[in-house]
Amino acid sequence: MRSFASFLVLVAVTLIGYASGFTTPNVPSPAFSTSLRMGLFDALGKAFSNEEYSAPPEGVKATARHILVKTTEEADEIIERLQGGATFASLASQFSTCPSGSSGGSLGSFSPGTMVAEFDKVIFSPETNLGEVVGPVQTQFGYHLIVVDKRTGI
């Protein structure tokens, strides 16, 4: 009586033989040997070639920065400072009440629906020019000055 390990070796050798087009003596060739030969290694090849199984194309996303303040007066003061030559990042660090202020107001990359509706409306509007300060935009959190750095999929 054969051991279980010997049985597994026999099965593996048989499958490899069928997949490469050879048959093992005393083992009848099953009807599915052609599909096994064509499918087993082809599927592995396709998986590693990254043609059929590649990631989906990049969807609608935006990369933006903002400065969040409590009043329109604060937003107006920041706009004046921007017009005077101050950088957006330094003003975000100095004035923003959002934790993103410590990273220059950067919100990173996000999809529609991630932020509140008023914010998304500005960010994903084709009429909002990249790199320009927009606002103040009022939300439940306060007033935002927004810069859209990048948009994809629109």
Side-chain angles (χ1 to χ4, degrees), residues 31-54:
F32 64 86
S33 67
T34 303
S35 65
L36 181 62
R37 186 175 334 130
M38 298 304 291
L40 182 65
F41 291 108
D42 288 343
L44 288 174
K46 283 182 182 179
F48 289 106
S49 71
N50 204 20
E51 291 171 13
E52 189 174 330
Y53 301 105
S54 63

Side-chain angles (χ1 to χ4, degrees), residues 116-137:
V116 293
E118 301 89 351
F119 203 86
D120 268 4
K121 186 175 181 182
V122 172
I123 298 288
F124 293 102
S125 170
E127 289 144 19
T128 300
N129 295 322
L130 299 180
E132 290 184 7
V133 178
V134 178
V137 175

Side-chain angles (χ1 to χ4, degrees), residues 5-152:
S6 297
F7 172 74
L8 288 178
V9 169
L10 178 63
V11 169
V13 169
T14 303
L15 288 175
I16 291 170
Y18 285 143
S20 60
F22 298 107
T23 59
T24 307
N26 300 325
V27 178
S29 178
F32 64 86
S33 67
T34 303
S35 65
L36 181 62
R37 186 175 334 130
M38 298 304 291
L40 182 65
F41 291 108
D42 288 343
L44 288 174
K46 283 182 182 179
F48 289 106
S49 71
N50 204 20
E51 291 171 13
E52 189 174 330
Y53 301 105
S54 63
E58 189 172 353
V60 177
K61 288 189 174 207
T63 303
R65 299 172 282 154
H66 80 136
I67 299 173
L68 175 63
V69 293
K70 294 290 181 194
T71 67
T72 56
E73 292 79 20
E74 289 175 291
D76 292 340
E77 180 185 342
I78 293 168
I79 291 171
E80 287 178 21
R81 290 185 184 214
L82 285 168
Q83 291 169 342
T87 66
F88 194 89
S90 66
L91 293 174
S93 297
Q94 186 178 356
F95 289 101
S96 187
T97 60
C98 180
S100 67
S102 63
S103 59
S106 176
L107 297 168
S109 182
F110 51 90
S111 301
T114 305
M115 306 294 178
V116 293
E118 301 89 351
F119 203 86
D120 268 4
K121 186 175 181 182
V122 172
I123 298 288
F124 293 102
S125 170
E127 289 144 19
T128 300
N129 295 322
L130 299 180
E132 290 184 7
V133 178
V134 178
V137 175
Q138 185 178 9
T139 69
Q140 65 194 36
F141 302 106
Y143 296 88
H144 303 261
L145 297 175
I146 303 168
V147 176
V148 180
D149 295 315
K150 182 180 174 184
R151 257 191 315 260
T152 59

